[in-house]
């Protein structure tokens, strides 16, 4: 056993896959103790980009520090009139036929650009003429929103903040050189992956979803492997009518594509009964066939070996022969089949949830459900909220990649034809 483990961990592919998988597993186990926030608790009602969010209200009650950054005014200008807005203004003015010669999107020309915008933009005019590139309702609404933003005071160097009401009201001036320390603000939160459309912390939700999907994969993989192993051992060793019956059942599952069968069975369960455990069981029950066929072919090649025949002559029972004389010889293959079944279970859940047939959304998040939410609420398209779906895709890919890499590494160790 020690020698076998040594060989396994000498396989570079297995070590890389095992390392990736263990990092993900440890993150899933440790993260909830560091961040105790409910993964399904909404922090807002929209996609929030990754970053640190500080309470504006609490900033007013925080001590300030005088900091004079040399490029503060430039950054303030670039933030108030971002490059995207400048390009839109140029495109609109050009479409309207305004002379924009000598203008560009540089900081030196921003004031002239804004002056031309305020002089030429009129909501009714845009709606009536539908200029090229701005003829759709979405484009016209985008122009209106931009105009609302640009009508704010872009050059204010100071502001007055009033706290309290009535006689207790206190006003103070906030200069453009006043700064606060984030760790002194009473309420601040860092969201490395922002929030989804429900306002949920995407990172916390992703960690929880990864754990749930791993559990689904493990349960589904265990069920599929045990069913496939049992059927394969019986069919391969006993043979005859038992083999015919079991292979007939396997052929029935083979005739109907596995994923179609999975959809039909899981849909018939009903929305209210679709928990994570139910999902795992259904996936496991519908994905044992290829394991059974592979185990059967292995057992057929072993059942007439000398040590098996000796056990038969010794009068050993069927269970003892199968468990002591056959199973140890295919144990490595069973482990590899289990790894692939876990990977397949995770991917199957993701596919089901992406189609809207996943576990109940009110119970726990899964990787597939997060993909489905991102699709339903336009994270791919209108919102361009990459943080709501790309990390999920990356986790699914890394999980599948690590498990398949571990399987390939084990295959190199146990398959004589692949050894160096």
């Amino acid at each position: 056993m020690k020698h076998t483990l040594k060989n396994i961990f000498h396989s570079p592919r297995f070590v890389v896959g095992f390392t990736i998988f263990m990092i993900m597993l440890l993150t899933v186990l440790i993260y909830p103790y560091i961040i105790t926030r409910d993964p399904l608790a909404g922090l807002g009602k929209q996609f929030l980009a990754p970053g640190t969010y500080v309470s504006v209200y609490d900033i007013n009650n925080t001590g300030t520090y005088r900091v004079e950054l040399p490029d503060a005014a430039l950054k303030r200008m670039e933030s108030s009139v971002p490059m995207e807005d400048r390009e839109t203004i140029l495109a609109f003015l050009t479409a309207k036929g305004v002379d924009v010669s000598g203008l560009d999107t540089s900081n030196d020309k921003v004031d002239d650009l804004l002056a031309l915008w305020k002089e030429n933009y009129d909501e009714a005019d845009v709606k009536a003429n539908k200029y090229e590139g701005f003829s759709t309702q979405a484009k016209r609404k985008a122009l209106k929103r931009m105009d609302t933003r640009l009508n704010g005071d872009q050059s204010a160097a100071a502001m007055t903040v009033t706290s309290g009401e009535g006689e207790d009201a206190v006003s103070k001036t906030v200069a453009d050189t006043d700064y606060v320390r984030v760790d002194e603000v009473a309420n601040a939160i860092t969201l490395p992956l922002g929030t989804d459309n429900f306002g949920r912390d995407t990172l916390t939700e992703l960690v929880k979803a990864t754990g749930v999907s791993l559990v689904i994969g493990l349960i589904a993989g265990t069920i599929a492997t045990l069913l496939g192993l049992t059927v394969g051992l019986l069919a391969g060793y006993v043979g005859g009518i038992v083999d015919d019956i079991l292979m007939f059942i396997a052929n029935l599952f083979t005739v109907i594509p596995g994923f179609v069968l999975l959809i039909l069975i899981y849909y018939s369960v009903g929305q209210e009964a679709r928990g994570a455990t139910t999902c795992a069981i259904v996936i496991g029950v519908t994905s044992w066939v290829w394991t059974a066929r592979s185990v059967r072919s292995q057992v057929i090649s072993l059942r007439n070996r000398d040590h098996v025949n000796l056990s038969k002559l010794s009068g050993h029972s069927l269970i003892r022969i199968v468990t002591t004389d056959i199973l140890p010889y295919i144990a490595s293959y069973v482990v590899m089949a289990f790894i692939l079944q876990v990977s397949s279970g995770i991917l199957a859940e993701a596919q089901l949830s992406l189609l809207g047939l996943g576990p109940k959304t009110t119970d726990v998040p899964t990787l597939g459900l997060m993909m489905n939410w991102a699709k339903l609420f336009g994270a791919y398209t209108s919102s361009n909220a990459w943080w709501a779906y790309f990390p999920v895709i990356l986790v699914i890919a890394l999980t599948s990649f690590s498990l398949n890499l571990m399987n390939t590494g084990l295959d190199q160790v146990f398959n004589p034809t692949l050894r160096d």
Side-chain angles (χ1 to χ4, degrees):
M1 183 66 178
K2 183 178 179 180
H3 178 71
T4 301
L5 289 175
K6 184 178 179 180
N7 288 337
I8 290 174
F9 281 95
H10 276 175
S11 169
R13 294 186 179 182
F14 179 85
V15 170
V16 172
F18 182 78
T19 302
I20 295 173
F21 185 78
M22 287 307 298
I23 290 174
M24 297 177 65
L25 185 61
L26 288 174
T27 302
V28 168
L29 295 175
I30 297 173
Y31 185 88
Y33 292 99
I34 301 173
I35 305 296
T36 57
R37 189 182 305 119
D38 182 359
L40 294 181
L43 304 176
K45 294 183 179 180
Q46 60 182 340
F47 291 112
L48 296 178
T52 299
Y53 292 82
V54 181
S55 169
V56 177
Y57 181 87
D58 292 324
I59 285 178
N60 297 327
N61 300 316
T62 304
T64 60
Y65 304 88
R66 183 179 179 87
V67 179
E68 296 183 358
L69 298 180
D71 54 352
L74 177 62
K75 289 183 177 179
R76 196 168 287 118
M77 172 63 75
E78 292 176 345
S79 175
S80 60
V81 189
M83 191 60 64
E84 183 181 357
D85 286 355
R86 303 180 195 186
E87 293 173 350
T88 302
I89 292 173
L90 267 180
F92 170 75
L93 293 175
T94 302
K96 191 173 180 179
V98 178
D99 182 14
V100 293
S101 57
L103 292 180
D104 53 40
T105 58
S106 64
N107 293 319
D108 296 335
K109 303 291 184 179
V110 168
D111 291 337
D112 296 335
L113 203 59
L114 288 175
L116 267 183
W117 166 262
K118 293 178 180 180
E119 180 182 338
N120 288 277
Y121 175 77
D122 181 76
E123 184 182 352
D125 173 64
V126 173
K127 185 179 295 186
N129 290 283
K130 297 183 179 179
Y131 297 106
E132 183 180 357
F134 301 93
S135 58
T136 64
Q137 185 177 2
K139 289 287 187 179
R140 296 197 299 272
K141 285 185 176 180
L143 286 179
K144 182 179 179 181
R145 289 194 298 269
M146 187 180 70
D147 182 62
T148 302
R149 290 197 307 271
L150 296 178
N151 279 332
D153 187 358
Q154 307 294 333
S155 59
M159 65 178 71
T160 300
V161 177
T162 302
S163 58
E165 297 180 358
E167 296 181 355
D168 297 328
V170 178
S171 298
K172 65 177 181 179
T173 301
V174 180
D176 58 0
T177 55
D178 287 344
Y179 286 74
V180 299
R181 288 176 56 189
V182 173
D183 55 358
E184 291 183 358
V185 180
N187 292 289
I189 184 172
T190 298
L191 302 171
L193 293 179
T195 66
D196 64 6
N197 187 69
F198 300 105
R200 300 165 179 166
D201 180 1
T202 305
L203 180 58
T204 303
E205 189 178 10
L206 179 62
V207 172
K208 178 65 176 180
T210 302
V212 174
S213 291
L214 285 175
V215 170
I216 290 176
L218 288 170
I219 295 176
T222 300
I223 293 173
T225 303
L226 289 177
L227 282 175
L229 180 62
T230 302
V231 173
L233 286 172
L234 287 176
Y237 180 75
V238 177
I241 187 65
V242 174
D243 184 23
D244 292 338
I245 293 174
L246 292 177
M247 286 302 100
F248 174 76
I249 296 174
N251 289 334
L252 289 179
F253 278 84
T254 305
V255 170
I256 305 175
F259 191 64
V260 174
L261 185 63
L262 175 61
I263 292 175
L264 292 174
I265 295 177
Y266 199 56
Y267 182 78
S268 64
V269 171
Q271 178 67 34
E272 289 303 315
R274 292 180 196 161
T277 303
T278 304
C279 178
I281 292 173
V282 174
I283 292 173
V285 168
T286 57
S287 57
W288 56 270
V289 177
W290 66 267
T291 301
R293 287 182 169 278
S294 300
V295 169
R296 173 179 174 272
S297 63
Q298 296 283 335
V299 173
I300 289 175
S301 66
L302 290 170
R303 67 184 180 185
N304 291 321
R305 296 280 180 92
D306 291 341
H307 68 284
V308 177
N309 290 329
L310 183 60
S311 291
K312 292 178 184 177
L313 293 174
S314 300
H316 293 161
S317 64
L318 170 65
I319 295 178
R320 179 174 177 179
I321 293 173
V322 169
T323 56
T324 61
D325 297 319
I326 294 180
L327 188 57
Y329 287 86
I330 62 172
S332 60
Y333 179 81
V334 173
V335 172
M336 290 187 287
F338 172 72
I339 291 175
L340 289 180
Q341 289 285 15
V342 171
S343 178
S344 299
I346 294 172
L347 293 176
E349 182 279 320
Q351 290 173 310
L352 276 176
S353 296
L354 198 56
L355 294 175
L357 296 174
K360 286 191 297 184
T361 59
T362 55
D363 288 350
V364 288
T366 67
L367 295 174
L369 283 174
M370 290 187 69
M371 291 287 290
N372 187 43
W373 293 331
K375 175 175 68 72
L376 289 177
F377 295 101
Y380 305 110
T381 53
S382 58
S383 300
N384 196 26
W386 59 267
W387 57 89
Y389 63 89
F390 181 75
V392 184
I393 295 174
L394 185 61
V395 168
I396 293 175
L398 281 176
T399 305
S400 180
F401 174 71
S402 63
L403 290 171
N404 281 277
L405 208 56
M406 289 167 63
N407 180 75
T408 304
L410 289 175
D411 200 20
Q412 277 188 327
V413 172
F414 293 112
N415 191 339
T417 61
L418 298 178
R419 292 176 189 164
D420 295 332

